[in-house]
Structure formats: structure tokens, C-alpha cells
Amino acid sequence: MTSFNQPLGGNDMPRFGGPATMMRLPVASGAKGLDAAFIGIPMDHGTSNRPGTRLGPRQIRDESRMLRPYNMATGAAPFEHLQVADIGDVPINTFDLKKTVDIITAHYHEVLGHGTIPLTLGGDHTLTWPILRAIKERHGPVALIHIDAHADINDTMFGETVAHGCPFRRAWEDGCLINDKVFQIGLRGTGYSPEDFDWARDKGWTVVQAEECWNKSLTGLMAQVRDRIGDAKVYISYDIDSLDPAFAPGTGTVEPGGLTIWQALEIIRGCAGLNIIGGDLVEVSPPYDPTGNTALIGANILYEMLCVLPGVPQKPSRFSGLAF
């Protein structure tokens, strides 16, 4: 019998009952003793178009009740190898974005101090910058796999340096990133000038636009990503708007021509074997998807991140072997 926390099973309590935590896991008051922790950051005061991501963590947790502990495709069983819990939400200041950034950094400094890997339920994308600041204090500069429709490298938005379109410019300025090990995947749409994507390329980052991903598997791409990153510590930041709005309409800044759900799974599963020290899933805005499907996809992506953390063996399923 395992001593690790287990999600509450659907045969022990109906899926529509039980605790409103990520995967109906036990709640912990802090990160002490945990290998990984789910953390919510309910904020949307960094958004520039449609708000609502402050409600994202709550709906992601709600939809995560459908998840089961064993990954049928990869054979990963994270709850057999890691101690995991939901440690609640960061107590952000909903009236002051700049204070919220500092609150987040301090909160994650405490979490990381216990050697815990944080998996974050967002919340708008502003939150990744203060998390990366805390990670730099603990781990030094890291590699980054950033999946998004937007580069989020603006210098300012309406004269402000703190917004959901600026986190990776700020992280670069703070020396949080290893430039030749930064990957941005799924960028697309309209812009103001080539600089919208080329600023990152000029810094040595690898930018993979969505058009390069159309109609193909991304397993080959992820093999190249793993080769480039090697044994460096890596952070994964997944913006749900990287997916085409046909799959995930519940977000604030939708762009047509995006990734598919199966490509999203290929990306995250392709991170297995990397030295992952944290990850986030951001920009789920429940008001724009009353079905809850966007949050459900977000919950699944967070689970897939858990499945590829260090210490979780991968035992791929025995597929049929038929060529069809």
C-alpha cells in the first residue's frame, strides 16, 4: 500500500462530489514534505483584452475531478512515486498588480525552499515572471519551454512594464533564462512589426510559429528540444490560447490557426526525461467557455506535466502495432 497521497477515486465518491481540489487530492497547508504541489494564482488584473482568468484556478480544479491517477498512454503513475498535494491559492492583492508580483515571488520562494516542484493553475500570464524570479533565486537561470499564441515579450503595454504581454521580457532582463535553451512554440496571428517575434530570435531563443506545426506530429520537434536543453533545469509555461479556439475558446485573447489538443499532449509528453523544476497553465477564462471544456483541457495538461516530472517512470502502453 503506497504512503503517497492519492486522488479521491470515482468509485469511492461520485465525480461531482468530494473536495474541490486539483484531482480531489488532499489539501496541505504548505509545501513541506511534498515533491510537487498544485498552486492556484487567481488573478486577471494583468490582462489586456477579456478578463476572467481570476476564476481559472477554481474551474480547473472543478474540471480536474474527471482525471484518474494512471496515464494510459505513457504508463506514468505519478502518485506512486511522488508526494503531491494541493496547497491552495496565492493570496494576491487584487487591487495592485505590482504588489501581487512581489507577493507571488515571496510565496514561491517559500515553496521552492522545501525542494517542492510547483505546478501552477493560472491566472493571467503575468504570473510567470515572478515565479521565474523565485526560481532563479533557487536554481539560477533556467531553460524555458513556452507554448503560446503570443510571444509575451512586450517592453510596455500602455506605458506599464508589468502585464500579461511582458513576462518574458522582464524575465530576460532579470537574468532568469538561458537564452540558447528558450523555446517558444505556437506563436501566430497579427502583429505590429516583425520585432514582435524577432526580438526573441535576436536573443538566441528558438521561435516555432504555429504555421510550422500545422498538419504534423510534434514528436520530432520535442526530440530536438530535449537535445538542445540536455540536463539543464527547465521551466514549462503553457498558455491555453496556444490551442486553436475551436478547442479552447475560454481565454482572453484568442487567435485562429492554433495548435491541436493532440499536439499539446505531444509537447508535454515530449518533455519526459528533462530536469523539470516547475510549470504553469495560464489564461483559462471560464466566462468565455460555459461548457468547462477549456478548463478540462487545462487540467489535463497540468496532469501531463505531473506525469513527466523527474522520478516518474514512463512505461508506454502496448499499442496494437497495426498500420492504419
Side-chain angles (χ1 to χ4, degrees), residues 215-237:
N215 304 311
K216 66 179 67 171
S217 167
L218 299 187
T219 56
L221 168 64
M222 293 312 298
Q224 296 179 60
V225 170
R226 290 193 305 274
D227 183 65
R228 180 83 63 83
I229 291 176
D231 60 1
K233 295 176 179 178
V234 58
Y235 187 87
I236 304 170
S237 186

Side-chain angles (χ1 to χ4, degrees), residues 117-323:
I117 298 175
L119 296 176
T120 302
L121 294 66
D124 75 66
H125 219 155
T126 311
L127 61 85
T128 305
W129 169 45
I131 293 174
L132 287 171
R133 290 195 310 187
I135 281 177
K136 183 194 173 187
E137 292 176 19
R138 174 76 179 183
H139 297 290
V142 296
L144 174 71
I145 301 173
H146 167 213
I147 308 98
D148 203 325
H150 311 98
D152 292 352
I153 53 172
N154 293 332
D155 187 22
T156 62
M157 299 185 78
F158 286 91
E160 297 292 333
T161 59
V162 183
H164 76 158
C166 307
F168 298 105
R169 174 75 72 105
R170 302 287 86 81
W172 173 79
E173 290 173 345
D174 286 342
C176 299
L177 305 174
I178 304 172
N179 282 330
D180 65 346
K181 299 181 188 297
V182 175
F183 294 84
Q184 295 188 301
I185 303 171
L187 307 192
R188 63 187 188 276
T190 55
Y192 294 101
S193 74
E195 179 79 358
D196 288 358
F197 292 170
D198 288 347
W199 181 92
R201 293 184 171 108
D202 291 342
K203 301 298 177 289
W205 301 6
T206 299
V207 176
V208 182
Q209 292 181 216
E211 289 81 0
E212 298 178 72
C213 303
W214 288 354
N215 304 311
K216 66 179 67 171
S217 167
L218 299 187
T219 56
L221 168 64
M222 293 312 298
Q224 296 179 60
V225 170
R226 290 193 305 274
D227 183 65
R228 180 83 63 83
I229 291 176
D231 60 1
K233 295 176 179 178
V234 58
Y235 187 87
I236 304 170
S237 186
Y238 200 105
D239 189 324
I240 202 71
D241 72 22
S242 66
L243 295 174
D244 191 88
F247 300 103
T251 191
T253 313
V254 296
E255 302 282 359
L259 304 178
T260 66
I261 296 172
W262 37 99
Q263 287 176 320
L265 295 176
E266 287 180 324
I267 291 170
I268 303 302
R269 291 174 183 175
C271 294
L274 292 174
N275 188 8
I276 301 163
I277 44 78
D280 61 54
L281 184 286
V282 299
E283 298 287 354
V284 171
S285 184
Y288 301 102
D289 185 0
T291 69
N293 285 345
T294 303
L296 176 62
I297 296 167
N300 274 268
I301 290 172
L302 284 161
Y303 168 71
E304 294 284 346
M305 288 186 192
L306 181 67
C307 287
V308 295
L309 292 186
V312 180
Q314 308 293 305
K315 300 176 182 178
S317 292
R318 295 175 294 172
F319 292 111
S320 68
L322 297 176

Side-chain angles (χ1 to χ4, degrees), residues 80-96:
E80 299 299 318
H81 302 278
L82 303 176
Q83 185 69 293
V84 187
D86 188 324
I87 62 173
D89 292 337
V90 177
I92 59 98
N93 183 328
T94 196
F95 300 111
D96 192 318

